[in-house]
Amino acid sequence: MLLKKVKPILMLIILSIMIGCSNDSEEDLKINEEPNKEAELFYQNNLKPIIESKCISCHTYHKVGASRYDSYQKTKPAIHEMLKRIEAKTINMMPPEEVTQLTIEEKQVFQRFLDKLNLEEEEVDRKINVQWTAFKYPDFNSRVSVSGNFDEMDYVFNEDYGEKPVDILKNAEVTIKAESVNVENNEERSKNIRYFFSFFTTIIKGKITKYDIEKAHVNFEMNGIIKEVIFDISINDSELFLNGVIPDMNLFNWEKAYSKLNEVCGEYHQNKLWNDIAIEIKIRLD
């Protein structure tokens, strides 16, 4: 078994429980990364004209805000949420029902922009890719998802798994630096979640206690509390997938940290964060 330091790389066992909150600070909107030139050109030539004709009129009150979407850098971290809103059939739908709607072709432009961004991400060689999804807003049928990851962790895998790929999970462990949490490349939301963790836990640990070809049992440790969660396992020729749900973050006594987060940004999610967290983990098999 090998111990490896991962940065930046997605975690083996994701434990983030919060979703981000936004305000309109111009400084927080700066994104320090090299742009995807193809995606940026596509934004300028194809997506921006649609946003200007169908979206900006409702967001003119955002002088420098995250919801203005009048630049590539502001639209890039928001595209997942934008797609969910334009496909929504509830009160969260965008554009609102009473105004001119996007055509099918215009919606496809939003998806094509995301596809070009994903091509950029796939160029990064990662051993582990994990997506967690949390939920906000009080109405269960209209709740909105937000996803994120962690950048810094130590992990242990069984690299000598031989002809049984599932044995890569034998005695697997991960230790995550909680303050390395990020949400959809949105620095402002990430700062809010880091603030939450400052009242909750600095280190998150996960350890696989047993597994078979279909299920993996994982002991999570947060806030000094250990609880077991069971994941479904699936395998193809090159990857192993773990899918599961942390059903209730109250099991880890998150109430104090939750209330602190609500103090700084509860208005942005109507003071409701759901307790369940959906997790999808992809492990590359070498």
Side-chain angles (χ1 to χ4, degrees):
M1 306 229 301
L2 302 176
L3 179 63
K4 300 182 179 180
K5 181 72 177 179
V6 182
K7 181 181 181 182
I9 192 171
L10 299 178
M11 67 177 184
L12 169 61
I13 309 298
I14 195 79
L15 301 170
S16 174
I17 54 86
M18 299 309 302
I19 60 178
C21 314
S22 297
N23 60 37
D24 295 335
S25 168
E26 180 175 26
E27 181 177 356
D28 287 337
L29 293 171
K30 296 177 181 177
I31 300 175
N32 298 317
E33 57 182 87
E34 290 296 322
N36 178 337
K37 295 299 183 182
E38 182 180 354
E40 185 171 13
L41 183 62
F42 183 86
Y43 167 83
Q44 294 293 341
N45 293 338
N46 300 277
L47 184 56
K48 187 176 181 180
I50 298 173
I51 292 175
E52 289 178 341
S53 65
K54 296 287 184 72
C55 307
I56 289 297
S57 62
C58 291
H59 293 271
T60 54
Y61 57 88
H62 289 284
K63 299 302 182 184
V64 292
S67 299
R68 190 171 172 84
Y69 308 138
D70 58 350
S71 73
Y72 168 76
Q73 292 286 14
K74 293 177 184 177
T75 305
K76 178 179 178 179
I79 188 62
H80 287 279
E81 188 70 19
M82 294 170 76
L83 276 166
K84 292 171 185 174
R85 298 292 290 274
I86 66 177
E87 295 294 345
K89 305 298 182 183
T90 68
I91 59 173
N92 296 310
M93 66 183 296
M94 288 293 171
E97 189 174 12
E98 63 272 13
V99 303
T100 304
Q101 295 299 297
L102 297 171
T103 66
I104 294 176
E105 292 76 14
E106 288 172 333
K107 290 181 179 181
Q108 290 173 345
V109 172
F110 283 81
Q111 182 60 54
R112 287 170 62 195
F113 178 63
L114 175 60
D115 292 342
K116 290 183 181 298
L117 293 177
N118 286 341
L119 287 175
E120 176 190 31
E121 294 173 358
E122 288 173 3
E123 294 176 357
V124 180
D125 184 26
R126 294 189 174 103
K127 177 70 174 178
I128 311 163
N129 286 276
V130 179
Q131 183 177 36
W132 57 263
T133 303
F135 305 91
K136 62 182 178 180
Y137 300 150
D139 182 359
F140 182 87
N141 293 325
S142 301
R143 66 182 190 167
V144 173
S145 61
V146 178
S147 300
N149 59 68
F150 291 94
D151 287 338
E152 298 183 40
M153 72 208 72
D154 294 327
Y155 71 83
V156 176
F157 277 152
N158 175 26
E159 301 288 355
D160 301 322
Y161 53 82
E163 297 182 357
K164 295 179 61 179
V166 71
D167 285 341
I168 196 173
L169 300 176
K170 184 178 181 180
N171 298 322
E173 299 182 21
V174 63
T175 301
I176 302 162
K177 188 176 181 180
E179 66 180 21
S180 70
V181 65
N182 284 294
V183 178
E184 295 179 341
N185 296 318
N186 188 311
E187 181 59 22
E188 183 184 3
R189 290 182 173 185
S190 300
K191 285 180 179 179
N192 287 329
I193 298 180
R194 292 168 197 152
Y195 177 76
F196 158 81
F197 274 114
S198 70
F199 293 96
F200 183 49
T201 190
T202 58
I203 296 295
I204 302 166
K205 294 183 179 181
K207 181 177 181 180
I208 292 189
T209 57
K210 63 180 179 179
Y211 64 91
D212 55 33
I213 194 64
E214 296 180 345
K215 304 285 184 181
H217 295 243
V218 182
N219 276 355
F220 291 133
E221 181 177 353
M222 291 186 287
N223 200 24
I225 299 170
I226 299 175
K227 298 293 180 180
E228 182 183 72
V229 177
I230 300 175
F231 284 82
D232 293 324
I233 298 175
S234 60
I235 303 173
N236 62 26
D237 290 340
S238 59
E239 297 162 324
L240 183 147
F241 297 86
L242 298 172
N243 284 277
V245 176
I246 299 176
D248 188 357
M249 287 305 302
N250 286 314
L251 296 172
F252 297 97
N253 292 343
W254 74 326
E255 292 88 349
K256 177 182 177 180
Y258 176 33
S259 65
K260 291 292 184 180
L261 186 68
N262 269 344
E263 289 176 7
V264 297
C265 64
E267 62 183 296
Y268 298 107
H269 48 75
Q270 299 178 20
N271 294 305
K272 178 61 178 181
L273 302 174
W274 291 84
N275 299 333
D276 57 314
I277 306 296
I279 305 166
E280 181 181 81
I281 306 156
K282 180 174 69 175
I283 304 170
R284 193 182 73 244
L285 300 170
D286 295 324

